[in-house]
């Protein structure tokens, strides 16, 4: 990912440069509205402390449009008043409903991070505890990091590297297979569920794992292209680290540490947000320790709007 962007005709190399030069497109936000929301948007986005130019740019744009919506709704632009879970969720559910689910999730992620950073009283969940350097469990990737990984996979120097990168992302993010299990997945292990062809599953040695719907197209494309071979690539089974050998020349963004185990952790957090019971999750995930669940929990999206989780825990439906 480039470390600079051209914003407003200016080459920007720092987040502060983004804040100084960003202007929303005139057809999306009138100049007079931008003048009103600009100082609040910059203050809020600066609090989120994004390091990369791209992240600061996406964050400021997301925050600016959220505040423009709040202004149209007649809501206060005071940080403590507007950056609360209820308003963020209302905005995402109404103003963003025309966008793809992944895009909605990305923008919600920016707003949640900003909200937690720029308020003191708003009921945002506490930030996850930092991972110890000797911890074996890798933190999940954020939405912007996943987007960067996919962009990198599509721009590899050779077809073979593109294949390896795409297969690893598909199997890790879409199925949650362990790094060692990636080598065993072939087109023959991919099946449509007999009761509903929309549900695609992978038959692993010890379990059946559903493929998350947004990754099915990638997976089926790999199956069509490589019907007889391991999807991630041909390898020497006797090699000390066959997956490492396959991926050694794949190029990932310099600012982003790529770890196959983090793909599985990201899948775990996504699946746990889908209202599965712990027993069901462990059935499809395979070996999962209680420590793993403890570490992943802070990264699982919470149903914080209107205390939804309290009603769910009580066995009550919201009226």
């Amino acid at each position: 990912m480039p470390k600079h962007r051209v914003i407003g005709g200016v080459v920007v190399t720092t987040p502060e440069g983004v804040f100084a030069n960003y202007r929303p497109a005139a057809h999306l936000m009138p100049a007079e509205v931008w003048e009103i929301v600009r100082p609040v948007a910059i203050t809020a986005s600066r609090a989120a402390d994004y390091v990369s130019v791209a992240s600061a740019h996406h964050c400021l744009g997301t925050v600016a449009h959220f505040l423009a919506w709040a202004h149209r709704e007649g809501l206060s632009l005071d940080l403590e008043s507007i950056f609360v879970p209820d308003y963020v969720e209302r905005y995402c559910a109404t103003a963003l409903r025309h966008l793809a689910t992944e895009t909605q999730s990305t923008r919600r992620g920016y707003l949640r991070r900003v909200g937690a950073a720029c308020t003191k009283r708003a009921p945002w969940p506490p930030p996850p505890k930092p991972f110890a350097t000797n911890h074996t469990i890798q933190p999940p990737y954020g939405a912007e990091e996943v987007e960067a990984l996919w962009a990198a996979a599509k721009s590899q120097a050779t077809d073979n590297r593109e294949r390896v990168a795409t297969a690893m992302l598909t199997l890790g993010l879409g199925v949650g297979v362990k790094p060692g299990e990636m080598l065993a997945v072939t087109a023959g292990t991919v099946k449509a569920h007999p009761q509903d062809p929309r549900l695609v599953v992978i038959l692993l040695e010890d379990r059946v794992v559903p493929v998350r719907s947004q990754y099915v197209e990638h997976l089926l494309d790999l199956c069509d292209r490589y019907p007889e071979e391991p999807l991630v690539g041909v390898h020497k089974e006797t090699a000390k680290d066959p997956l490492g050998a396959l991926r050694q020349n794949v190029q990932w963004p310099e600012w982003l540490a790529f770890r196959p185990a983090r793909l599985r952790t990201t899948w775990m957090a996504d699946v746990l947000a889908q209202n599965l019971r712990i027993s069901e999750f462990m059935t499809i995930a395979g070996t999962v320790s209680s420590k793993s669940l403890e570490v992943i929990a802070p990264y699982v999206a919470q149903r914080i709007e209107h205390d939804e989780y309290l009603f769910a825990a009580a066995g009550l439906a919201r009226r």
Side-chain angles (χ1 to χ4, degrees):
M1 179 173 288
K3 297 182 179 180
H4 68 272
R5 287 198 169 192
V6 178
I7 300 177
V10 178
V11 177
V12 172
T13 59
T14 65
E16 285 301 321
V18 173
F19 301 147
N21 293 281
Y22 174 80
R23 300 290 185 279
H27 69 284
L28 296 176
M29 186 184 305
E32 58 270 21
V33 175
W34 172 235
E35 184 177 355
I36 293 171
V37 305
R38 180 177 184 272
V40 185
I42 292 175
T43 298
S45 299
R46 185 179 284 128
D49 198 26
Y50 280 104
V51 175
S52 77
V53 170
S55 296
H57 190 194
H58 290 311
C59 175
L60 181 56
T62 298
V63 169
H65 287 286
F66 168 65
L67 292 174
W69 167 84
H71 177 67
R72 292 195 301 272
E73 295 290 311
L75 302 173
S76 169
L77 298 185
D78 173 72
L79 293 179
E80 291 285 353
S81 299
I82 190 58
F83 277 101
V84 295
D86 275 0
Y87 286 143
V88 167
E89 292 303 320
R90 185 196 302 178
Y91 170 73
C92 293
T94 57
L96 304 184
R97 65 175 180 267
H98 63 289
L99 300 177
T101 302
E102 292 81 1
T103 303
Q104 291 183 38
S105 178
T106 298
R107 297 190 183 182
R108 180 183 285 105
Y110 280 119
L111 293 174
R112 285 178 172 174
R113 173 163 169 168
V114 169
C118 74
T119 61
K120 295 181 179 179
R121 300 188 302 272
W124 294 103
K129 296 179 180 179
F131 280 75
T133 55
N134 62 346
H135 210 296
T136 58
I137 303 172
Q138 298 290 319
Y141 287 113
E144 65 192 86
E145 294 174 315
V146 171
E147 289 183 1
L149 290 174
W150 277 110
K154 296 175 182 177
S155 60
Q156 294 297 311
T158 68
D159 290 342
N160 187 62
R161 294 179 191 178
E162 181 271 336
R163 169 190 181 175
V164 174
T166 300
M168 292 184 69
L169 294 184
T170 301
L171 296 176
L173 298 171
V175 193
V177 298
K178 303 166 189 175
E181 293 174 329
M182 290 185 180
L183 301 168
V185 179
T186 66
T189 65
V190 178
K191 305 291 183 182
H193 194 279
Q195 296 178 8
D196 190 334
R198 296 176 305 163
L199 174 59
V200 176
V201 301
I202 287 183
L203 309 179
L204 296 175
E205 183 177 357
D206 63 343
R207 65 194 188 280
V208 177
V209 187
V211 183
R212 289 182 57 75
S213 59
Q214 64 265 47
Y215 296 103
V216 168
E217 184 176 348
H218 290 293
L219 181 62
L220 296 182
D221 178 63
L222 287 167
C223 291
D224 288 340
R225 290 160 60 189
Y226 312 106
E228 304 295 334
E229 304 169 352
L231 298 185
V232 77
V234 178
H235 57 276
K236 292 183 179 179
E237 295 184 4
T238 57
K240 183 178 180 180
D241 182 12
L243 184 63
L246 282 172
R247 70 184 183 89
Q248 65 179 347
N249 294 318
V250 175
Q251 299 298 310
W252 301 109
E254 294 181 1
W255 61 274
L256 180 57
F258 176 78
R259 299 288 186 274
R262 293 187 69 186
L263 301 177
R264 174 170 163 84
T265 310
T266 306
W267 171 85
M268 291 171 66
D270 288 343
V271 170
L272 283 169
Q274 305 304 311
N275 296 329
L276 268 72
R277 296 175 180 175
I278 292 297
S279 58
E280 296 166 339
F281 167 73
M282 295 183 74
T283 296
I284 63 173
T287 305
V288 178
S289 68
S290 58
K291 186 63 177 177
S292 299
L293 296 175
E294 179 184 340
V295 173
I296 292 298
Y299 293 91
V300 179
Q302 298 184 37
R303 292 173 294 176
I304 54 180
E305 184 180 11
H306 305 305
D307 292 335
E308 293 290 345
Y309 66 101
L310 299 180
F311 285 83
L316 294 172
R318 283 304 302 264
R319 294 179 178 175

